[in-house]
């Protein structure tokens, strides 16, 4: 079965950095677009960043543009999210999500994600 396992979350001070990883298995990783989606306390799921199947195209939500970078290593079946200049409002559970398609439309719709990881907690606080 499809498995997505996030890691790399933790507690970081404002302005700090974290790199999240998502280890994928159970499907042909290099055939599908992938995204990072987050859930902050009291808020709805928010799409954060997307990358197409080959890794040649990527986009971010306005809230993280210039600070977050999504990437993938298809040889390692791994998705990454480099998070810099972190702000308290970035505090959330971050999920790795698999799209049903090889490419994405902006903004990606939550309904188009057919598999999710368990999430990793990111807390940005002094």
């Amino acid at each position: 079965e499809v498995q997505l396992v996030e890691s790399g979350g933790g507690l970081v001070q404002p302005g700090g950095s974290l790199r999240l990883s998502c280890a994928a298995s159970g499907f042909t990783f290099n055939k599908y677009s992938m995204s990072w989606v987050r859930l902050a306390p009291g808020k709805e799921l928010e799409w954060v960043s997307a990358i197409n199947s080959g890794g040649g195209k990527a986009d971010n939500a306005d809230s993280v543009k210039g600070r977050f970078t999504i990437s993938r290593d298809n040889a390692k079946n791994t998705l990454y999210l480099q998070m810099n200049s972190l702000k308290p409002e970035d505090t959330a559970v971050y999920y790795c999500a698999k799209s049903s398609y090889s490419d994405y439309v902006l903004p990606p719709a939550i309904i188009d994600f057919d598999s999710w990881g368990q999430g990793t907690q990111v807390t940005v606080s002094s």
Side-chain angles (χ1 to χ4, degrees):
E1 77 282 13
V2 172
Q3 286 192 305
L4 301 170
V5 181
E6 300 96 334
S7 61
L11 175 64
V12 64
Q13 294 186 347
S17 297
L18 286 172
R19 188 181 73 163
L20 307 184
S21 297
C22 171
S25 62
F27 66 101
T28 306
F29 183 69
N30 65 6
K31 298 292 187 182
Y32 295 95
S33 176
M34 301 291 294
S35 282
W36 289 96
V37 182
R38 67 187 180 186
L39 182 61
K43 297 185 178 180
E44 295 184 339
L45 283 167
E46 178 191 19
W47 168 77
V48 173
S49 189
I51 190 165
N52 69 348
S53 59
K57 184 177 73 174
D59 284 281
N60 298 135
D62 287 345
S63 58
V64 305
K65 282 182 179 176
R67 301 188 298 120
F68 291 10
T69 303
I70 190 171
S71 62
R72 66 195 296 162
D73 186 339
N74 284 345
K76 296 182 178 180
N77 287 358
T78 303
L79 180 74
Y80 303 98
L81 185 67
Q82 180 65 47
M83 309 166 68
N84 298 326
S85 301
L86 283 161
K87 304 175 180 179
E89 51 262 45
D90 294 319
T91 295
V93 177
Y94 283 73
Y95 297 93
C96 173
K98 172 186 174 293
S99 173
S100 299
Y101 311 104
S102 62
D103 201 2
Y104 57 87
V105 172
L106 293 176
I110 300 299
I111 196 171
D112 289 336
F113 301 124
D114 58 24
S115 297
W116 299 76
Q118 84 288 350
T120 186
Q121 176 70 48
V122 172
T123 302
V124 185
S125 176
S126 298

